[in-house]
């Protein structure tokens, strides 16, 4: 599945229990997991129901404990594991054996960089999870992304202004998002 397809599904309220986000565009991955978080968990309950873990610093047992914990005063718990590729092979096997038993009160998002191989872990994960690819956007896709980002602020940007912003800032989505936020703050 591509990033834009996932956004459309989220708008329709369709959020799967298990995702694998892969690809080069980390900004879009973060944008999507934050969007899922805002839909699943009320802001004042995020401290209790949102867990951010890192593959290099965690074990499969800790991940399983987090996803098995009932949410506090919310319908869902969200667990995001960054750099899942840094889990040891042993932990990956333990996690794979647990994933079919994922509780329905949990949404688990596993995040990895662009995959260059189809190791057993990833091929099995593809069968269990909704895998979403986040490739770098091409030059011709950036203006549409800028336009959609500006619309989130309920603003409009003329074509020439879009072009100037794109040429000035480049293709880094994080930098573009920061500049758009500054522009929105400036125009009020």
């Amino acid at each position: 599945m591509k990033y834009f397809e996932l956004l459309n599904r989220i708008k329709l309220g369709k959020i799967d229990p298990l995702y694998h986000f892969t690809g080069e565009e980390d900004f879009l991955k973060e944008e999507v997991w934050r969007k899922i978080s805002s839909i699943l968990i009320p802001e004042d309950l995020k401290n209790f129901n949102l867990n951010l873990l890192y593959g290099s610093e965690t074990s499969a047992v800790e991940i399983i404990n987090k996803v098995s914990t009932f949410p506090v005063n919310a319908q869902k718990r969200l667990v995001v594991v960054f750099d899942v590729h840094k889990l040891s092979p042993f932990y990956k096997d333990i996690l794979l054996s647990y994933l079919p038993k994922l509780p329905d009160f949990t949404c688990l998002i596993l995040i990895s960089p662009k995959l260059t191989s189809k190791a057993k872990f990833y091929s099995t994960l593809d069968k269990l999870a909704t895998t979403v690819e986040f490739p770098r956007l091409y030059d011709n896709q950036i203006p549409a992304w800028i336009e959609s980002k500006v619309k989130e602020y309920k603003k409009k940007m003329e074509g020439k202004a879009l072009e100037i912003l794109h040429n000035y800032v480049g293709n880094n989505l994080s930098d573009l998002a920061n500049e758009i936020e500054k522009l929105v703050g400036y125009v009020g």
Side-chain angles (χ1 to χ4, degrees):
M1 176 183 299
K2 298 290 183 196
Y3 157 74
F4 294 109
E5 295 172 86
L6 178 59
L7 285 181
N8 289 334
R9 288 177 54 87
I10 290 171
K11 284 179 188 173
L12 296 172
K14 296 178 182 177
I15 297 175
D16 296 336
L18 178 59
Y19 289 103
H20 176 220
F21 291 176
T22 183
E24 301 167 320
E25 193 52 73
D26 292 332
F27 182 83
L28 294 179
K29 291 178 201 174
E30 180 175 348
E31 190 174 59
V32 172
W33 76 253
R34 286 186 183 279
K35 195 167 290 216
I36 290 171
S37 171
S38 69
I39 292 168
L40 293 181
I41 306 167
E43 192 62 39
D44 59 334
L45 297 174
K46 288 204 190 308
N47 287 341
F48 304 106
N49 298 306
L50 173 63
N51 298 105
L52 305 178
L53 305 171
Y54 295 86
S56 60
E57 302 170 2
T58 193
S59 69
V61 173
E62 185 177 358
I63 296 168
I64 291 167
N65 284 341
K66 297 293 185 193
V67 300
S68 301
T69 303
F70 283 98
V72 177
N73 293 331
Q75 296 293 316
K76 294 277 188 179
R77 165 176 296 288
L78 176 62
V79 179
V80 181
V81 182
F82 301 94
D83 298 329
V84 73
H85 64 289
K86 292 184 179 178
L87 283 172
S88 74
F90 177 70
Y91 288 154
K92 286 178 182 175
D93 287 343
I94 291 172
L95 187 60
L96 280 179
S97 67
Y98 176 79
L99 290 178
K101 300 173 244 169
L102 190 67
D104 46 344
F105 56 76
T106 298
C107 178
L108 174 61
I109 300 174
L110 303 173
I111 299 178
S112 67
K114 181 180 178 181
L115 298 178
T116 55
S117 73
K118 279 290 184 186
K120 175 192 169 224
F121 175 75
Y122 297 109
S123 60
T124 306
L125 187 58
D126 279 348
K127 294 173 189 167
L128 299 171
T130 302
T131 299
V132 184
E133 296 177 33
F134 292 83
R136 290 237 186 268
L137 297 182
Y138 293 112
D139 259 359
N140 63 346
Q141 295 173 308
I142 298 290
W145 183 85
I146 293 171
E147 192 171 14
S148 71
K149 197 72 178 157
V150 169
K151 281 182 185 176
E152 288 177 16
Y153 292 102
K154 297 182 179 17
K155 303 289 182 194
K156 291 181 183 177
M157 186 179 270
E158 291 182 16
K160 187 66 178 166
L162 262 162
E163 186 180 321
I164 291 169
L165 180 64
H166 182 203
N167 289 337
Y168 177 73
V169 178
N171 290 351
N172 184 307
L173 299 186
S174 181
D175 292 345
L176 283 165
N178 287 335
E179 295 304 318
I180 290 168
E181 192 174 325
K182 289 178 194 176
L183 287 169
V184 168
Y186 178 74
V187 297

